[in-house]
Amino acid sequence: MAKVTSQNDKKLRILPLGGLGEIGMNCLVLEYGDDMVLIDCGVQFPDSHWPGMDLLVPDFSYVRDRLDSLKAVVVTHGHDDHIGAIPYLLKEKKLDIYATPFPTGLISQKLTEHSDLKEVRFHTIESRKKFKVGPFTFDPIPVQHSIIEALAFAIETPVGTIVHSGDFKHDAHETSQGNIGFEPFEDWGKKGVALLLSDSTNAERPGHTLSEMEIRDSFQQILGQQKGRMIIALFASNIKRIEKLLQLAHSLGKKVAFAGRSMHSYTKLAFEQNSLSIPPETLVLLENIGMYSDDKVLVLVTGSQAEPQSALLRISEGIHKDFQIKKGDLVVMSSRFIPGNERAISKMIDQLYRAGAEVLYESIHQVHVSGHGQQEELLMMLKATKPKYFIPIHGAYRHLSKHAGLAKESGVESEHIQIIEDGQLVELSEESLEVKEKIELKKTVVVGTSFVEGSPDVFTQRSNLAKTGVVFAVFMRDAKSLKLVAPPAVKSYGLLYFQGENPDYVAEDAEDHLEDVYYDAVHSGELEETLRLEGRRFYKKRVSHKPVFIPLVLDI
Ligand SMILES: [Zn+2]
Ligand SMILES: [Zn+2]
């Protein structure tokens, strides 16, 4: 007889595949019985530990092992760290995607860059219109963030309601997307929330985020005093800030030009979907701004993080085809300096100064506010939902840990708070939230649009090559007598020699030395390893670092 599992025995499995204990690559598995959904499916941009890699995407092994269970991906909003990996999941399986129009448009654009994808079916969701996927009923709740159409979800499951905050902040003065407040969360809180999963990105920052309206006032002031051309760098996804700048420019009789590929594509999509209004006779082409006097010209540009190939970086280097910095230009960095990018940004700012511009940025002028709520806003979410259990999401470990502290402060029992990281499976039942096994995840690496396969060792090897350079040594020998038929040949690449060393002499000395080593070790049974160790040891004395050393023994 088949084992009968009553609904009550079943537990909701929750597994973060990314975004917990790290910034970016947000992806959360919700699984009940044979039904699984993913909330978000984002990418991460690799740092210097991943030389040459373009993107990191979540490890889909857990999903791949249960592909039939996967019912849908449900999207909170259109930032790349929430949608960027969807095309890569579409290499595995045809998918149902639930998203609002803006992220749907962004995902569709991404899909056109790939050729080997399975079929996709989009389901358009609207705020506060419930929809059902398997045993889950989603209530999409609008939240404020640095992109339009950002959502949180209240999700009714067989073991209780969970609330996933998405990325959110609270800005009572910003009403461009209607009044967005905590009432829906309070309503769910009254009905009973079993588990809250909430954004921790700014959990270290005390107080409340500044209002976007203060940023607008700040810009109004700067634009009112504008003498030279003004270049504003911001994320192209921040549609509402772009709209405010367009309105301000219009009211002051100024012209706006866009620079950067994503500035064009994001604003085009938002405009087509009626999410961005562009005042008449305000937008002009970048190549035509010379027709207007400098104090009337505003350029909105991407590249605030000094990303390679970005418009602002190319402008700073003087290699942008339509725009060159000149004396009197003012560049405003209306974005945060994302950790890891600071050096590149600071170098870019120097270049802009060198070219004659003045540069304003967040730390010296109020020209940016984050899209993620600070401590007071996080407490508002906790107090509205009054969850029984709490798991902080979206953040490095220290952010999760701070957020856990806030939850305790708000009244969640400390044994009901779990700080977990990627790969940590938890199970929610009506009685408990239990931490189960940890699943080992390895990031999947993308170059171009293709996965590349590689164990963690490969990335260590790559880093080593970059740090030390490489030496090859070829030993050609007679297969029978094992005598070398020619002296060893040594070739090196990427070595830094100590001052006074001549690379040719070093190579000759290495060849002599390795010939001796060869004859000493030829019958030892550990010939290659000995050659490798001796080769490295030899080079250590003549170059900056022990290089990667590859001996090749060829029998002829
Ligand atoms: Zn976001
Ligand atoms: Zn995010």
Side-chain angles (χ1 to χ4, degrees), residues 35 37 71 98 132-138:
D35 293 303
V37 297
K71 294 296 173 296
Y98 290 78
K132 226 173 131 68
V133 185
F136 307 116
T137 304
F138 286 78

Side-chain angles (χ1 to χ4, degrees), residues 24 26 77 79 81-82 145 167 199 201 372 394:
N26 299 293
H77 64 284
H79 279 147
D81 59 326
H82 296 260
H145 186 38
D167 285 349
D199 176 17
T201 310
H372 301 269
H394 302 174

Side-chain angles (χ1 to χ4, degrees), residues 22-23 44-56 339-341 443 459 463:
E22 64 179 349
I23 304 278
Q44 199 173 50
F45 295 97
D47 60 18
S48 55
H49 292 100
W50 304 88
M53 304 297 108
D54 294 332
L55 278 182
L56 302 176
N341 300 340
K443 288 188 174 125
F459 300 102
S463 299

